[in-house]
Structure formats: structure tokens, C-alpha cells
Amino acid sequence: MIAQLISAQNIDVEIYRKTALDHMENGRYGEAIDQLNKYISAVPQNPEGYNLRALCFEQRKQYENAVLDFRRAIALEKNDSKRNEYLKNLRRVQEVWYNLLNKKIEGHLREIAINPDNPINYLEIGKCYRWMEIWNKAEEWYDEYLKRDDNASPDEIIRYTEILAKTGSIKKGETILKKYVERYPDDWRLWSRYGYFTMWLGKYRIAKDAFEKALAIKPFFKEARDGLDIVNRQAYVTQQNPRAFEKEYPIDRYYRLLKKNPSDVEMRFKLVDELLKAKRIEEAYQQLQIIGFAHSDDERFQSKWDYVVQFRDSLYRLNLDRAKSRLEKNPLDKEALKILSRYYEYLQYYDSAMAYLDKYFEEVPDEEDPELIFQYARMAAWNREFDRAIDITDKLLEKYPDNLDYQLFRAQVSIWIKRDLELAKQYLNNVLQKRPNSLDANIAMGSLMLIERKFDEAQKYADKARGIDPTNDEVIKLQSDIDWQKLREEEEKLYRILEKGRKEVLDGNCKDGLVFYEEYMSKAEPNLLILKEYGDVLFCAKEYQRALEAYNQVLDLGYNYDAALQRAKVYYAMGDSVNAVRAFKELVEDDSTDFEAQLYLGDSYLKLGEPDSARNIYNMLLETWDLDSSRVAMVELRKGWLPITGIAAILETFPYYVGIAPLSQYYSDNISFSLSTFGIRADLGINNYLSAGFLFGSTRLNSNSQILDPDIISTYDYIGARSYRTLKGLITIRISKRFNVGTGFGITNSAGTLRREEKEAFANFEIKDTVSVSFTYQNSDGALILYSPYLIDQQYYASLYRIGGYYIHKNGLKISGSFQYISVSDINEGNDLMIRLGKYVYNDLILGYEYYYTNYRFKSQYYYSPQNFESHSFWLDNELEKKKDLTVILGGKIGYIPFSKFIALEGHLEALYRPLENLTISGRMGMGSTSRDDASYRYFSTQLSVYWTAF
């Protein structure tokens, strides 16, 4: 009863499958496997669970587990279409896995050629052939391994004997096992396997002794117990040396011959035939079990096995037929119904039993026979109709509340479906109080304690059950479940530690995550995947030397491409360019289709100081690979890092870019001065660091004598208008993404009568929205720098030096300012100082205070040159629009000029628009009023430029 309960399927398991599918869709295959383990435990006969788990194993590259699960799914699947789907999955995984195994074999063969005395390479090749089920080659390579390593572990001997069983090398296996059970006398697995090999050789007494020794060490080891049962059922003892005058029957002869040569499967089939002729079905059944261990795929085995099983079932069916006959004559024959139900239960045909029981209880709804009703409840439970089983049992308990059998069954069903567990505990306590030695009650209570994760309590009931019947399968299974759940509890604790580490790593806190990984590693024996993952975390935390050790540890246990790739990246990160190049070259040879390995190889060459080798790889990727846009950008970026060496490299990257910028400017004031400029700038990128270009512009200056001071203009030949033509050559050097410098040289002429040199230089450093520093130098005509109507007709030179910048703190505080020094050819000189303090009150609005001061050596009548002029202002800038392609800023200030007691006003509007990636349009318009020479001064200005780049 309890066996059927524990092995039954849980009705609420669908959530495991759905949760697993959700994890799979999000790439969390480890979590999906955890859910599928629960699903398979609940419905072990459902092939879908094995197929889904196999797909997870495939994604995690655990191909051995994937193959096993696909085979389980194929064996269980009845639907041809789905079975074909699973077969296709299996073949796909085998193709990938076997290719990797063959590569692994090739690698070990290369190692053998270098050092033929290293036994590990022979062992690894043997394992590969074992995984590929090429048994004869697996045996050969294991033999070579054992020749070189006389201290093989019990685990390897167990694997070796599995291969020998497949190849039929039974005698060899016995010899090997005899040696190793003497060497490892406490390993129950070796004793059990020795028992099977001696049993197949017909050495039953030695086999029995071996199985008993295994069970003495591990009392509930199922493999050994099954072997001992087979040995104990050998009921026919043959004569070793029959006398000539006595007849030797075929069965005796075959037993005698098989004792000498137990691996002779043909002889064993003949023995089965003779046993069947003699109707010795149980012995035939035992011999078929021996055959099936290694030859279950033999067609003769399946036909004979089916026959024997059918014969054994025939008695049950005979009794069923008799009961059916009675029920046909009298459908209300309760005794016949009880017999029929019982034998259907033996055959596990619960649905057939339920059909008869349902029909009967429809005819007799008021049936009072508690034995029949209880049988009905049990059949409902076995048929997974749990609610009906509970309803029937609850009605029985209403009439017979003290019946301990009913209470026990009701508790068992509750444990089965994990419902009404408190009621189950109450009923079990009642049963155990009056039947303390009830095996089923102790097992059920142990199972209940296990559900509640009370392991000590569960163990207490398991020990009590073992004391009642130590050989009972359900006692053994309960103990196994306790051991497994306790182990699982520990594993889950460790897994939670690991998950904490993974979460920290996913959040970008690799150093914090490393603490959890190290705790996990100190408490667990990680597999290769976890060990490789640990290396990844060390790498992320910049613990390069330790990461290198972790990857080496993984690779020492067998070649792993991912670990080799990560190790190569560590070499690169450590600056070990020689090893990085070597490692990435090996990876590219191993898998020439890996884009990441190819890219890193190029990077390593660049780091090693071999830019031409790096360029060859980058060009190969761009020219021969079908790359998506993101990968093309990655390669192009790296090509931009390459130094320009050699004519070929220069020609390849030239021109780096071409830029053209039309521009215009206009300025006017209330003292009749106006300036308008139109021009064009062109830049040619020589490479990523250097560009050259030119600027051509036409500037028109105008003034109105009616507004100007007549006393001043009478001192020179006043015309009031002049046009300039300027041509400058420009050079810009980009030292880094944030720092560039440049210079310009040229000439300015006016109406063919005035010709002057133009000079400029600049240097800029900026971390956008954080800090900026700039320096500017300009040497030009005085009118173009000082903006004075009285200099239009006079030949003054002026030089301007300016330094400015800003800093924005993370709390929103902004400090900015500038200092400007001007020297004029009339030996005058002056400086301007502006300091601003501001604070972002919103993300797009900043307010602040401005101090402005200007002072000149002396006051000139021809241009504005005040002494000790200062102003105090409040200012703001508001970003009306801030998008990737459009920025609009509205700003202004209002201030006070103490000396003249004037109010200063200023307003401006700035915009920058990028309709295309390579096209930028920018403009600024401003106006304001201040005071000059104790009089009001008003001005208006506009600027507009368009910058277009190609390449």
C-alpha cells in the first residue's frame, strides 16, 4: 500500500513544469533543472520532464546528463511523433558531444606523443570512448591506463567493470576486482561488482560471500541486495562429474557448462529453452535476469521475457476471468467483485477495477459492507482519484471513527497529496499509540516528518521501522529519502550562498560577490562549471593571479574551451601579451569561427607591439566574415586604436574623416558698430590623432559718423566701413578623447591695402558635465578683437589670451569662470575676470551669482578700456529641451554696476540640432544692456554654423 502511495504522482506538479519553462525562457537553466527534478520525482513516468531537463543540460553543456535524459524520454514516450522529436534531440546532442570528445581524444593523443608515460591521458581517452559507447576501444585504453597506474581509484575500477560487462570480458573483470577488493576492503561497491562477475562465472558461493560483505558495509545497498537475491534463488545444484553410466539431462549439462563459461550467452539461451520446456518458470525467470543485465537488446531476450512474465501473470488473469464470469451472471455478487478488484490491484489495472466498482456502487449506493467500501477507496487512490478516495474514507470514518486501518489509510493519502497534514498527524498518533510496531504507520509518520523537514524526528521513525523489518523496501526507501533530503538541505544552504554571490556579481559588485563564492568553495566540492564560474568572478574582481590559478585547475582536469578562453583573457588583462597571443592563437586553431577569440588575438598583437599583425586580423574579420553592425563597430573601433605605421597603413586609413562647416556671425550695438562675417571651414583627418584644414572668411565692419563722437573721428581719416578677407591654415592634434590642442596661421587683407598676419592657438580638456579647462590665443586686427567703431579705419593690432573652465559637483554645485588678457599695439593692456557660482535646483535649471571685473592700463579714446569696472549679477540657464538630437537652452542675467549705478541685463537662446549622425547645426542669439563710460550700452548678436562630416 505505502509503496504505491510513495511512488504515486502529485496532482499539483504542473507548477514545477511551468516554473521550469519560465526559467528556461530567461536562460536560467540551473534553476530550471531544480524545478524539473521535483517534477520528475512527482511524475517519473512522464517523458516530457526528462526531455525538458535534457534540453537544460544541453544548454549547460552537460552532455552526458543530456544524453541519459533524452534516452529516458524516448523509452517512456508512446507517441511516435514526440518520440521522433526526442530522437532528433538526442542525435543533435550526440553529434555535438561526440565531436568534442573526438577533439578531446586528439588533444590527449598529442600529449601522449610528448609524454607517453602519463597514465591520465590514457584514462581520459578511455572515458571518451566509454561515453561514446565504443566499448572495445574503451576497454583497450583502460587497459593501457592500468598498465601505467597501479593505484587506480575504486571509481575508475567501477567504470572499467561496466565496460568489461559490455564487452563480455567477465573473467578479466573477476581478476581485476579480486585484486581491488583486497586493496580496498571497505568499498561496498567493489564487493558488489565482484559478486556479479563471480556469479556470471557460476561461482555462486564466492558471489554470495561478496554480496554479503558489501551489505555488511552498506546494509541497504540495492545493487548488492538484488545480486544476493539472485544468488539465493539458484535452486538447482548440478553434478560436477557425472558418472558415465548415469544419464546427464540437458538442463544439468547446460548448468555445468555455464559454470565453466558464464559469458556464453548462447548457452544460457539454450538453458532457458530447456527450463521453459520443463515448466521451471522461476528458474527461467532468473536466467533471463542474468541475460538482461548485458543483452537486453537481444530480440530473443525480449520475446522470452515477455513469455515468462505473461505466464506468471496468467494465474491472476485466470482468477479475473472467473470473477468476471460470476459478475456477468450476477452484477451484485460482492464476493466476486472483491476478488476481481484484488487481482486488478495486483496487476495495477486500477482503472479497470474502478469501472466495475463505479458500476456496482451506482446500482447499490447504500452499500454498507465496510470491506468493499474500503477497497473502493483504495482503488480510487491508486487510480489517482484522490478527492474521491478521501470522501469515501471520511464517510467510513464517520461510521467507524475508531477504525485504525481507515485512519492509517486516510493519513497516507494526506501525505501522498500533502494536504490535511495536521489531520494525518493526529490519525498516525492514534495508530502508533495502539500499534507502536505498525510498519506502515512508522513509515508514514517518518514521511510526514520529512515533509515538515524535521529530519531528527523522521530518522527516529525510520529507525523504528528498520527495527521492525530491516529488509522492507519502503524502510530502505524512507532512509534513502531522509539521507537525500538532508543532503539536499545542506546543498540548498550552499546553493543559497552561491546565489547571493551571483546576485552581487549581476549587480556589478564582483568583490562583494567573491566573499560568497569563497564561502561556498570552502564548504563544497565544486564541479568544473562552478570552479570555472569562480574563476570568472575572480577575473571580474580583478584578482587576476587567482583567476589564472582557478582556470588552470579547471584545465588540469580536462580541456575546457570556455575556461581556456577566459584564461587567455586573464593573460591579456595582466599585460602578459606573450602568453595572451599564444593562448588566443591556440583557441583560434581550435575554433576558427569564434569571433571573440579572433578579436582578442588582434588586441593581444596590438598590446604586444605588433600592430601590423593586429591590422591583418581586423581586416580579415571585416573583409571575410559576415558581421552584424555592432561587431563591425567593435572592429572599426580597434582599427582606430592602431598607430599609423608604414605607407600602406596611412593609405588604408586616409582620409580618416572630412569635415565642412559653413558659418556666419553678426554683431551690432547702439553706438553704430556692426560686424558681419560669412565663411567656411574645412577639416581633413589624417588619422585618429591629427587633422589639418583651412578657414576662409569675409568680414564687414560698419559705423555711422552721425552717432560717433566728432572730436574723436577728427583725429584720423574716417571712412566708417571696411571689408576683410581672411585665410588661415589649421592643425588639430587629438591627444586623447578628452584633450586636444591646435593652432592656426594665415593672413588678413582689406581692399588690397592692408595685409596682416593671423595667429591662433587653443587647448581643450573636458569630461562632459563634470569638468572643463580651455586655453585660447588669438592675434588679429584690433577692430576684430575689441569691437570698436573707432578702430575700423586705424591699424591697431591686438593679442588675446584667455583661460576658462567649469566644474560640476555630484550634488549639483557648479563653479565656472574665465580670465582674459588683452595687449594692444598702442602699449595698452587689460584683463577681464568673470567668476560664477551656481546650483542646479532641477535637472534642467541652474541659478547662481556672477562677479565681473575688468581693468586696463590706461583709458583709450578709441576703444572701450575701463579701469576698475565691476558688476554683480544673478544668472540662470534653463534647458528647455535635452534630447539625443536636440538641445535648447534659454538663459540670462540681471545685475548691478556700482560705479555708474546701472542695471545690467542679458538674455540668450542657444540651440544644437543633429538631424543626422554626421550633421550638426548650432546657433546662438543674445542681447543685453550695460554701461560704458557712464552711458547706456546695448548690443545684439547672432551666430550660426553647420558642421558636416564624412567617413
Side-chain angles (χ1 to χ4, degrees), residues 421-457:
L421 296 180
E422 285 302 317
L423 180 63
K425 187 182 294 184
Q426 176 186 331
Y427 283 149
L428 288 174
N429 283 328
N430 293 343
V431 174
L432 289 170
Q433 186 177 359
K434 296 182 179 179
R435 299 178 185 172
N437 293 322
S438 168
L439 181 65
D440 286 344
N442 277 284
I443 293 173
M445 184 63 91
S447 299
L448 179 56
M449 293 299 102
L450 196 55
I451 291 172
E452 295 179 351
R453 306 184 81 79
K454 297 177 180 177
F455 300 120
D456 293 339
E457 290 292 312

Side-chain angles (χ1 to χ4, degrees), residues 297-327:
D297 53 348
D298 193 304
E299 293 181 1
R300 294 172 296 172
F301 165 80
Q302 194 61 52
S303 63
K304 294 179 191 302
W305 177 262
D306 292 343
Y307 171 77
V308 171
V309 172
Q310 184 178 358
F311 190 90
R312 295 173 82 227
D313 292 346
S314 62
L315 179 61
Y316 299 160
R317 299 183 183 281
L318 177 62
N319 289 327
L320 278 171
D321 290 339
R322 289 173 179 169
K324 288 179 184 178
S325 179
R326 288 174 58 183
L327 285 170

Side-chain angles (χ1 to χ4, degrees), residues 74-269:
I74 291 164
L76 291 170
E77 186 56 64
K78 300 292 188 277
N79 182 284
D80 288 339
S81 175
K82 289 205 169 196
R83 188 184 296 112
N84 288 335
E85 177 190 338
Y86 299 162
L87 276 168
K88 195 179 296 182
N89 290 343
L90 173 62
R91 288 168 185 154
R92 179 186 67 249
V93 170
Q94 285 179 324
E95 182 179 357
V96 174
W97 188 30
Y98 289 1
N99 284 336
L100 293 174
L101 291 174
N102 282 317
K103 286 185 179 180
K104 182 174 171 64
I105 289 170
E106 291 172 5
H108 288 295
L109 287 172
R110 289 195 295 268
E111 292 294 327
I112 289 171
I114 298 169
N115 180 14
D117 296 326
N118 186 353
I120 297 300
N121 291 310
Y122 298 89
L123 174 62
E124 292 301 321
I125 293 175
K127 285 181 182 178
C128 291
Y129 282 122
R130 173 175 163 266
W131 285 326
M132 290 190 287
E133 300 177 353
I134 305 175
W135 304 112
N136 59 332
K137 287 193 175 183
E139 181 180 354
E140 291 173 12
W141 285 98
Y142 263 85
D143 288 342
E144 293 296 323
Y145 161 65
L146 291 173
K147 286 179 186 177
R148 292 163 176 82
D149 186 1
D150 194 43
N151 296 308
S153 69
D155 290 335
E156 296 306 337
I157 297 302
I158 292 295
R159 296 188 186 102
Y160 181 41
T161 55
E162 291 171 0
I163 296 167
L164 295 177
K166 293 290 186 182
T167 60
S169 302
I170 306 301
K171 183 62 180 174
K172 183 197 286 187
E174 182 211 19
T175 304
I176 292 289
L177 285 164
K178 187 173 187 297
K179 173 182 175 180
Y180 278 85
V181 293
E182 292 171 357
R183 182 176 292 178
Y184 301 105
D186 295 327
D187 194 303
W188 64 90
R189 301 169 302 164
L190 288 173
W191 279 111
S192 176
R193 197 57 58 89
Y194 183 49
Y196 275 100
F197 274 70
T198 52
M199 180 184 73
W200 295 332
L201 290 168
K203 300 177 181 180
Y204 298 118
R205 289 181 183 176
I206 298 174
K208 181 178 180 182
D209 180 66
F211 288 133
E212 287 175 347
K213 285 182 178 177
L215 291 168
I217 301 167
K218 191 81 167 178
F220 307 120
F221 188 39
K222 190 174 185 304
E223 178 185 302
R225 183 163 292 281
D226 290 344
L228 184 61
D229 289 342
I230 295 172
V231 170
N232 286 335
R233 288 198 297 267
Q234 298 297 331
Y236 196 81
V237 181
T238 63
Q239 293 178 315
Q240 297 296 323
N241 296 298
R243 293 188 295 272
F245 60 85
E246 293 179 334
K247 181 179 179 181
E248 184 180 24
Y249 292 96
I251 290 176
D252 299 337
R253 178 171 174 271
Y254 292 142
Y255 269 123
R256 178 171 57 79
L257 293 173
L258 282 169
K259 190 168 185 179
K260 293 180 180 179
N261 185 14
S263 63
D264 190 343
V265 69
E266 296 301 324
M267 188 72 71
R268 201 173 294 278
F269 270 121

Side-chain angles (χ1 to χ4, degrees), residues 71 200 204 233 279 311 323 330 353 518 630 677 741 785 845 866 922 950:
R71 283 178 170 165
W200 295 332
Y204 298 118
R233 288 198 297 267
K279 302 299 182 186
F311 190 90
N330 179 12
E518 289 175 339
S630 63
T677 298
V741 297
I785 292 179
L845 177 63
S922 61

Side-chain angles (χ1 to χ4, degrees), residues 501-535:
R502 286 171 173 167
K503 184 177 185 304
E504 291 289 347
V505 172
L506 287 173
D507 291 340
N509 306 319
C510 294
K511 286 190 177 294
D512 294 337
L514 185 57
V515 176
F516 293 105
Y517 273 87
E518 289 175 339
E519 182 182 357
Y520 174 84
M521 300 289 285
S522 68
K523 297 177 179 179
E525 293 184 6
N527 57 33
L528 290 180
L529 290 174
I530 298 298
L531 188 56
K532 188 261 178 187
E533 187 177 325
Y534 175 55

Side-chain angles (χ1 to χ4, degrees), residues 2 8 100 197 240 257 339 436 446 499 562 648 742 777 785 905:
I2 198 71
L100 293 174
F197 274 70
Q240 297 296 323
L257 293 173
I339 293 169
E499 283 300 292
D562 292 336
Y777 163 74
I785 292 179
L905 297 172

